[in-house]
Each structure stands twice: as C-alpha cells, then as structure tokens.
Amino acid sequence: MITIKEAVTKKEMTEFVKFPFSLYKDNKYWVPPIIADELESFDRTKNPAFESAEAYFYLAYKNNEIVGRIAAIINWGEVNDQHKKKVRFGWFDVIDDIEVTKALLEKVYELGRKNNLEHVEGPMGFSNLDKVGVLTEGFDELGTMITWYNHPYFATHLEQLGFVKEKEYIESIFPFSNVKPEFFLKAQALIKKRYELTSLNFTKTKDIMPYVDKMFDLFNNSYADLSSFVAITDVQKEYFKKKYISFINPEYIKFVMDKNNDIVAFSIVMPSFSEALQKAKGKLFPFGFYHLLKARKESKDVVFYLIGVHPEYQNKGVTAIIFDEYFKTFSEKGIINCIRTPELEENHAIHNLWKNFDPRVHCRRKTFMKML
C-alpha cells in the first residue's frame, strides 16, 4: 500500500531532502546538494520565493519506507501577471513504480484544482533560477550543481500517465581548446569603438555588489520574451546577492558597459563544483567546505550559468567582448572544459553564440505538462 504524507516538521523536511541520497546511492553521475542549503531554500521564512509562491512537500511511503517525493508549487506571479493557470511540480524523485508516481502527482492535481488552475507542468522550481526538467538524454554524464539528475524511467512514467512534452532544454560542452580568438578578437575591438562600450572585470567580490541589482534588472529585460520567464523581484535580488554572488569567483563575472556606465551585457560563469559536492556528500562539515573551496580555486572545468544582453544590443555582436575577456581569464587559469547549463531548445539566439566553438550536446531534458 502506498501512503502519501505532507512533509511539515523539520525531521520530515530533512527526510524529503535526503531521499535522493538513497535513490542515487553509488551513482557516479548524480551531484548531491548541500543538505542545509536545500532545507533553507524550502524555508518559508528565509526564501523570498514564498512571497509570490506557495509550495507543499510530499513523501511517498511503501511498507513504511520512503519511496518518492514531490513538491507542488504555485507561482502566483506567473498565474496572476502572465495569466498562466499552471500548477508546478518539482524536486520529483521516485523509485521505478508508476503507482508511486501517480500517487504523488495526485497531490499536485489537488492543489491545481483547488485553485481553479488548468494544467500542471514540471519538474521545475519556484523561479527561472531554479533547476528545471527531467533528464531524457545524458544519464552517463556528470551533472552540475544547478541541474537535477534522474533515472531514465522518470520520463516514461510521466508519458504513461498522459503527460506530453512542454519544453525541451539542451546542455552542451566544449573543450576550451576549441575557442579560437580570431572569431572574436577583431570583432570585439570594432564593436567597442562603434557603440562606445567598455568591458568591466573584477578581482574582488565587494566591487561587484554595487552592480548586482542592475544586473538582475538586465536579466529580467533580456529574457522577458521567453515563454517560461517569470521576472525576479527586488526581494529575490537581495536573497540571490547574499546567497550566490559571494560564492562565485569575481573574475568569472563579466560586464559590458555603455558610455553612461550602464550595463548592456553580463555573464556569470562558475567553476564546476560537481566533484567537490560528490565528495562533500551533502555536508559542509567537517570536510565539505574544504572540497568546495578547493574547487573554487582549482577547478579546470567551468559552467556558463547566465548570460544576458540588453534587447537594444542583441544581434550586435556584444558577446564578442565577453568572450574576449573570458578567453584571457581562462587561458590564465588553464581551463580545460566549458559547460553550458540548460538552455531552451527554442532559444536559437543563445545557441548561435556558441556555434564557432563546436559544442557537443551531452544532455537533454524536458518539462512535461498535462491538462487538469
């Protein structure tokens, strides 16, 4: 018999967070989160996403053993401002038993129907900066700290339960040796001169902080036309600023400025923390923090996390300036591989940025939807 229980207490939420550690035990491609960090993101008093969203967390039990988990989410900004009557599900992990999947999803349907919503989509988080999608290709590729891993049967379960593909995302990788400066070196100089632009680099995190709010404003502006986009609020900006910016190498954040010292393009790259997180096994202490700090300083793989260009400067080659700056930084640090995080398959503009680097698509993932 399958029993579904809402996780409410600290103990239950900890079990919710820890379930994947048993599901993917000994899987060399799964990248575990930091347990304390994950718990904080589910804390309604700490995560500002809850100002415009509500979420409920469920555990599935079979023979008194946890066999699955799911979060049922409503992003009210999406529902009220974009008029998308959607209930989301995320943090979806389950054993290979479709009845367990079915029982968990029923809790998502209940939330949607209770609020007169029309369809369900997932897996996805609270916002666009959360993880997204069921992995459908690349099960033997090492994940990243900002993607979910899952077994191949996840997508099969959803399809058998009447879900259809809503969006598809691709992830790719290319060796830094593929990057030839002749593709952007001359162009970036011409573009700087033509549009009176300058590049802005950093060596200290404190020097980045005065620009972060404007960077998130540009992020909202850059991605506003994408069908799945929900803008980041001012409160969320503060949260992300405190939680993530200090964690990123300052030299991996690049800005392009106009003559008025306004940001017209930005990019955030992170060192790969995948192997460090595997060694940490969900805990910062006693040794997890050491592994993460070591990766921050020494990782030879980098992950392109975000890149944004002001609409007025899109299709004007501004990214050549960013690539030129990264080429200098990566050459100095001896970077070996460049990894791209999930990008919508329909976002052809972003894919065209990388074509000269001959990237290899190594993972695909999808969100699935179903009418209620």
Side-chain angles (χ1 to χ4, degrees):
M1 181 178 174
I2 299 164
T3 304
I4 305 298
K5 182 179 180 181
E6 184 180 354
V8 177
T9 66
K10 184 176 181 180
K11 178 178 181 294
E12 291 163 347
M13 287 305 301
T14 301
E15 290 174 337
F16 183 93
V17 170
K18 286 185 173 181
F19 172 66
F21 285 78
S22 62
L23 186 66
Y24 304 112
K25 186 180 180 181
D26 300 325
N27 185 305
K28 60 184 180 181
Y29 305 112
W30 176 63
V31 176
I34 296 298
I35 294 168
D37 186 59
E38 194 91 325
L39 283 168
E40 182 181 306
S41 69
F42 297 147
D43 188 331
R44 291 169 173 80
T45 67
K46 294 180 180 179
N47 188 343
F50 285 100
E51 291 197 351
S52 58
E54 61 180 283
Y56 305 89
F57 306 91
Y58 297 98
L59 288 166
Y61 295 83
K62 192 174 181 181
N63 300 324
N64 295 317
E65 181 182 345
I66 297 174
V67 290
R69 69 170 189 170
I70 201 166
I73 305 161
I74 300 177
N75 183 314
W76 285 110
E78 179 178 51
V79 174
N80 296 326
D81 300 337
Q82 298 188 9
H83 309 293
K84 292 181 179 178
K85 294 186 175 296
K86 176 172 79 181
V87 57
R88 301 169 168 223
F89 70 90
W91 289 275
F92 167 59
D93 290 285
V94 67
I95 64 169
D96 191 5
D97 183 337
I98 196 167
E99 293 303 318
V100 178
T101 298
K102 185 178 180 181
L104 284 166
L105 286 167
E106 282 295 334
K107 305 306 291 187
V108 183
Y109 305 156
E110 285 177 16
L111 180 64
R113 290 174 182 137
K114 176 184 174 184
N115 290 277
N116 299 311
L117 302 179
E118 296 174 353
H119 69 280
V120 55
E121 183 184 354
M124 57 203 322
F126 304 109
S127 76
N128 297 82
L129 293 182
D130 287 317
K131 300 175 183 180
V132 67
V134 166
L135 189 67
T136 55
E137 293 180 23
F139 302 102
D140 57 352
E141 298 280 353
L142 181 63
T144 69
M145 68 179 293
I146 49 180
T147 54
W148 280 312
Y149 185 84
N150 57 263
H151 294 304
Y153 59 79
F154 280 39
T156 305
H157 282 197
L158 293 171
E159 289 166 348
Q160 289 176 352
L161 292 171
F163 281 78
V164 296
K165 183 189 88 170
E166 175 65 12
K167 300 178 186 73
E168 184 162 3
Y169 299 80
I170 63 172
E171 300 167 49
S172 61
I173 185 170
F174 57 89
F176 180 57
S177 58
N178 280 11
V179 180
K180 308 302 180 189
E182 56 265 27
F183 286 123
F184 48 77
L185 187 59
K186 186 176 180 181
Q188 63 90 25
L190 292 171
I191 291 161
K192 280 182 176 177
K193 185 175 181 180
R194 180 180 300 167
Y195 301 112
E196 299 181 77
L197 303 176
T198 55
S199 53
L200 187 59
N201 295 290
F202 302 94
T203 57
K204 297 178 181 178
T205 300
K206 68 180 181 65
D207 294 334
I208 301 170
M209 291 304 185
Y211 296 92
V212 174
D213 285 351
K214 287 185 177 181
M215 181 191 74
F216 280 124
D217 288 339
L218 178 55
F219 172 75
N220 284 341
N221 210 352
S222 301
Y223 288 84
D225 290 339
L226 291 180
S227 60
S228 61
F229 186 74
V230 180
I232 299 169
T233 66
D234 289 341
V235 180
Q236 287 173 313
K237 290 175 193 174
E238 287 301 314
Y239 178 73
F240 291 130
K241 186 190 300 183
K242 293 175 182 176
K243 188 170 183 179
Y244 295 117
I245 297 300
S246 60
F247 199 57
I248 300 169
N249 304 36
E251 62 270 34
Y252 285 173
I253 296 179
K254 307 291 186 184
F255 291 161
V256 178
M257 316 297 290
D258 67 10
K259 62 182 179 181
N260 299 315
N261 205 35
D262 289 325
I263 305 172
V264 300
F266 76 92
S267 181
I268 297 177
V269 166
M270 297 189 299
S272 174
F273 291 105
S274 297
E275 292 182 6
L277 285 165
Q278 288 179 327
K279 292 174 182 176
K281 298 179 180 178
K283 298 178 181 179
L284 284 176
F285 301 101
F287 303 115
F289 202 66
Y290 164 76
H291 293 305
L292 291 171
L293 282 177
K294 192 170 187 289
R296 188 176 187 266
K297 293 179 180 178
E298 300 177 9
S299 177
K300 299 304 179 185
D301 293 346
V302 290
V303 180
F304 279 81
Y305 182 38
L306 282 177
I307 188 165
V309 179
H310 192 285
E312 290 183 12
Y313 288 87
Q314 290 174 6
N315 301 316
K316 291 183 178 178
V318 174
T319 50
I321 302 171
I322 292 174
F323 288 153
D324 182 57
E325 295 299 336
Y326 278 128
F327 182 79
K328 298 171 191 172
T329 302
F330 293 171
S331 297
E332 182 182 317
K333 290 185 170 290
I335 296 303
I336 296 173
N337 290 306
C338 300
I339 302 161
R340 290 162 57 195
T341 51
E343 297 164 347
L344 276 169
E345 189 179 45
E346 67 193 50
N347 192 351
H348 301 295
I350 199 77
H351 303 318
N352 284 336
L353 292 180
W354 314 97
K355 62 183 180 182
N356 290 327
F357 307 147
D358 195 22
R360 173 179 66 89
V361 174
H362 68 299
C363 293
R364 290 182 182 271
R365 58 184 67 241
K366 299 175 183 177
T367 59
F368 288 85
M369 70 86 69
K370 182 179 181 180
M371 301 304 296
L372 292 174

